[in-house]
Amino acid sequence: MRKTQHLISKLEQFTGLGGEEKQALEDAVVGVIDYRAKEDIILQGDRPDHVHLLASGWACRYKLVPDGGRQIMAYLIPGDLCDVQVALLDRMDHSISALSACEVYTLPLASLSDLMNKYYTISRALWWSTLLDEAILREWLVGMGRRSAEKRLGHLICEMWLRSKAVGLTERTHFEMAVTQEDLADTMGITPEHMSRCFQTLRGKGLISTDGRRMTIGDLDHLIAFSDFDPLYLHQQRKVAFVRL
Amino acid sequence: MRKTQHLISKLEQFTGLGGEEKQALEDAVVGVIDYRAKEDIILQGDRPDHVHLLASGWACRYKLVPDGGRQIMAYLIPGDLCDVQVALLDRMDHSISALSACEVYTLPLASLSDLMNKYYTISRALWWSTLLDEAILREWLVGMGRRSAEKRLGHLICEMWLRSKAVGLTERTHFEMAVTQEDLADTMGITPEHMSRCFQTLRGKGLISTDGRRMTIGDLDHLIAFSDFDPLYLHQQRKVAFVRL
DNA sequence: CGGCTCATTGACCAACGTCAATGCCGGTGG
DNA sequence: CCACCGGCATTGACGTTGGTCAATGAGCCG
């Protein structure tokens, strides 16, 4: 399998890619690094000279606040680029950390930049992926402001199920949600204790069930309705990925 | 004064622009539209064929949720482009509405696209501005998850003071904050009643005072400290805009 | 077995929501 | 000029979501 398979699956939601373009992406990968859970990949203030492509596992963008709290601002799954933005911004305004064990491919910033100059399609597709990140961020903000913690959890499960599906990591009814309840609590702006209570509720309603990190969706239609989930914001233009279970 | 003066001031935080580039931007403006407060500029689902540049007044990005609630996800001030992203995404995943009376310039999507092909600097500067939007969104999410409503309000005031300053719309200690408390409540995910209480607190501490829509910062250093404000996320690279009052 | 991390539970508490009423102010028409 | 109106801000009493603290379990691994 190609190293860039997940990335290509992701980009192909938006546009077709030719064989030459796929090979060029593949050739840009120069190294691989392993991280353990909770290990930092990039720190706030860094100015990385490589772009990081997540190959396996889950990671997150986060910031710490003075009182010691952590706010997670994005989940990164296989196929996601961690830091395209550093090409333009002076330095990282947030940190990135592994949530589970992760494999990360490195691509020299210069190669990626060449590639974007040479292949208009790749350039557009990468720009599209940053706009998608932004759209997800907006939807999370809506959740934080206007949805209960339980609905936010349900919403996130729907989102990650679809995003995993788009890169080929979802089974029919279940997928690997490689995070702890504490991570989820830091995502939703609540405490781990309350996160646990939210899980009870969703399980009690028969919407989900869990076995370790494996998340099984018990009743997709009702989960969607309960969570007020509308996949429009994921902009999955080319494939109708959102089929019934 | 140039129509694109505010936009140019904004972009020059990031990069220098030559006279030819400035003129090209100016020439791309083809029309102007007036909106009254509360009027929608773009609706969710739209696919505008023009890019909108805010010339005066304040606007916002927002989404509605089923129970009737509104979540504001960004403020737009003079010099901000409303919808560069629609060039790539299929359609708007959120709406944009005027918060005060607004003047909006329109630029044909095709002209802007030509301009970005011809002038690498402009292309980079516009990309930078979308990354900035994303950085602001992340910081708002941190606030929603991990800061009290009072601190969020203080933080927003610091942010808008700086952003207004970057486009030349801030006096020494005060600026026009063209929004109602209800708008602010919909921004922070709280109720107007609670927003009012937050204002009392900040006024009581002597951090701010208000006169209609005019926001006066009483004690910048303490407001910054109180709000846990760090301007790093605004990525104001070229100018040290963050001088003391 | 012991030590770790993660999930869960319960009792109590604080931030913020809800509802209902009041005040303020600028605009407008008689 | 004044009465009235509509939009916005404010206040108070009380309710709810989610926080805090402290303890207990449950699984995993050396």
Side-chain angles (χ1 to χ4, degrees):
Chain A
M1 194 177 95
R2 282 204 156 96
K3 289 174 181 163
T4 46
Q5 188 56 56
H6 292 130
L7 174 60
I8 288 169
S9 296
K10 179 182 171 183
L11 297 182
E12 286 198 324
Q13 286 176 91
F14 165 66
T15 188
L17 288 174
E20 190 187 339
E21 288 158 339
K22 290 181 190 174
Q23 192 56 47
L25 270 172
E26 186 71 18
D27 293 341
V29 175
V30 298
V32 59
I33 311 175
D34 281 297
Y35 294 94
R36 281 160 299 162
K38 290 169 178 286
E39 213 172 341
D40 280 310
I41 298 174
I42 303 171
L43 285 176
Q44 183 165 359
D46 281 0
R47 181 167 199 154
D49 54 353
H50 283 73
V51 169
H52 297 77
L53 169 62
L54 196 53
S56 70
W58 281 31
C60 70
R61 302 182 192 282
Y62 75 95
K63 276 188 188 181
L64 298 177
V65 291
D67 72 2
R70 175 179 67 153
Q71 178 64 42
I72 290 178
M73 303 168 303
Y75 285 123
L76 301 168
I77 63 173
D80 285 333
L81 289 164
C82 301
D83 41 17
V84 253
Q85 63 266 32
V86 194
L88 275 186
L89 297 180
D90 44 347
R91 43 198 170 125
M92 290 292 292
D93 58 21
H94 62 275
S95 304
I96 296 179
S97 162
L99 291 170
S100 65
C102 285
E103 265 182 311
V104 176
Y105 295 129
T106 53
L107 294 76
L109 204 49
S111 311
L112 198 70
S113 171
D114 288 350
L115 226 130
M116 288 175 71
N117 286 330
K118 186 162 178 197
Y119 301 104
Y120 179 61
T121 316
I122 291 180
S123 160
R124 267 173 58 99
L126 290 181
W127 193 17
W128 167 82
S129 85
T130 70
L131 291 177
L132 177 60
D133 290 347
E134 200 178 319
I136 292 172
L137 221 33
R138 279 193 296 264
E139 191 61 36
W140 282 27
L141 197 70
V142 173
M144 295 287 266
R146 296 290 168 209
R147 284 195 272 262
S148 68
E150 288 166 358
K151 285 175 191 279
R152 290 208 289 282
L153 175 57
H155 201 279
L156 183 72
I157 293 168
C158 293
E159 176 186 309
M160 295 316 296
W161 183 75
L162 259 191
R163 284 179 57 193
S164 296
K165 198 160 186 291
V167 292
L169 291 171
T170 303
E171 302 292 323
R172 194 155 179 73
T173 58
H174 53 88
F175 68 106
E176 189 74 10
M177 198 143 160
V179 296
T180 64
Q181 289 191 10
E182 189 179 356
D183 297 328
L184 289 169
D186 285 347
T187 306
M188 320 267 191
I190 60 175
T191 55
E193 292 90 332
H194 196 64
M195 188 77 254
S196 176
R197 291 171 191 128
C198 291
F199 263 93
Q200 312 298 335
T201 307
L202 294 201
R203 284 196 206 102
K205 288 177 185 289
L207 299 176
I208 60 165
S209 58
T210 54
D211 175 18
R213 298 288 128 92
R214 161 168 297 191
M215 171 68 60
T216 303
I217 297 182
D219 184 337
L220 182 60
D221 287 345
H222 285 132
L223 183 60
I224 289 168
F226 173 81
S227 313
D228 169 32
F229 182 78
D230 175 352
L232 172 66
Y233 74 101
L234 291 175
H235 294 279
Q236 300 186 321
Q237 301 170 344
R238 276 169 48 95
K239 293 180 194 166
V240 182
F242 202 53
V243 292
R244 297 262 149 86
L245 285 182
Chain B
M1 194 174 96
R2 282 202 157 97
K3 288 175 181 162
T4 47
Q5 187 55 56
H6 292 130
L7 174 60
I8 288 170
S9 297
K10 180 182 170 183
L11 297 182
E12 287 199 323
Q13 286 176 91
F14 164 65
T15 187
L17 288 173
E20 190 187 341
E21 288 158 338
K22 290 181 190 175
Q23 192 57 45
L25 271 172
E26 186 71 19
D27 293 342
V29 175
V30 299
V32 59
I33 311 174
D34 282 296
Y35 293 94
R36 279 159 301 162
K38 289 169 177 288
E39 213 172 341
D40 280 310
I41 299 174
I42 304 171
L43 284 176
Q44 184 165 0
D46 281 359
R47 184 171 195 150
D49 55 352
H50 282 73
V51 170
H52 297 77
L53 169 61
L54 195 53
S56 69
W58 282 31
C60 70
R61 302 182 191 283
Y62 75 95
K63 277 189 188 180
L64 298 177
V65 293
D67 71 2
R70 174 179 68 153
Q71 179 64 42
I72 290 178
M73 303 168 303
Y75 285 124
L76 301 168
I77 63 173
D80 285 333
L81 288 165
C82 301
D83 42 16
V84 254
Q85 64 265 32
V86 194
L88 275 187
L89 298 180
D90 43 347
R91 42 198 170 122
M92 289 293 292
D93 59 20
H94 62 274
S95 305
I96 297 179
S97 162
L99 292 170
S100 66
C102 285
E103 264 182 312
V104 176
Y105 295 129
T106 53
L107 294 75
L109 206 48
S111 311
L112 198 68
S113 172
D114 289 348
L115 225 129
M116 288 175 71
N117 286 329
K118 186 162 177 196
Y119 300 103
Y120 179 61
T121 317
I122 291 180
S123 163
R124 268 174 57 99
L126 290 181
W127 195 14
W128 167 81
S129 85
T130 71
L131 292 177
L132 177 60
D133 289 347
E134 200 178 320
I136 291 172
L137 221 32
R138 279 194 296 265
E139 190 62 35
W140 281 27
L141 197 71
V142 173
M144 294 290 264
R146 296 292 168 207
R147 284 195 271 263
S148 67
E150 289 167 357
K151 284 174 192 279
R152 292 207 288 283
L153 175 58
H155 201 280
L156 182 72
I157 293 168
C158 291
E159 175 185 309
M160 296 314 297
W161 183 74
L162 260 192
R163 285 178 59 192
S164 294
K165 200 163 184 290
V167 292
L169 290 171
T170 303
E171 300 291 324
R172 192 154 181 76
T173 57
H174 54 88
F175 68 107
E176 191 72 11
M177 199 145 161
V179 296
T180 65
Q181 289 191 10
E182 189 178 357
D183 298 327
L184 290 168
D186 285 347
T187 306
M188 319 266 190
I190 60 176
T191 55
E193 292 90 332
H194 197 63
M195 189 78 256
S196 175
R197 291 172 189 126
C198 291
F199 263 93
Q200 311 298 334
T201 307
L202 294 201
R203 284 196 204 104
K205 289 179 185 286
L207 298 176
I208 59 165
S209 57
T210 53
D211 175 19
R213 298 289 128 91
R214 161 168 297 191
M215 171 68 61
T216 303
I217 298 182
D219 184 337
L220 182 61
D221 287 345
H222 285 132
L223 183 61
I224 290 168
F226 172 80
S227 313
D228 169 31
F229 182 78
D230 177 351
L232 172 67
Y233 74 100
L234 291 174
H235 293 279
Q236 301 186 320
Q237 301 171 344
R238 278 169 45 95
K239 294 182 193 166
V240 183
F242 202 54
V243 292
R244 298 262 151 85
L245 287 181

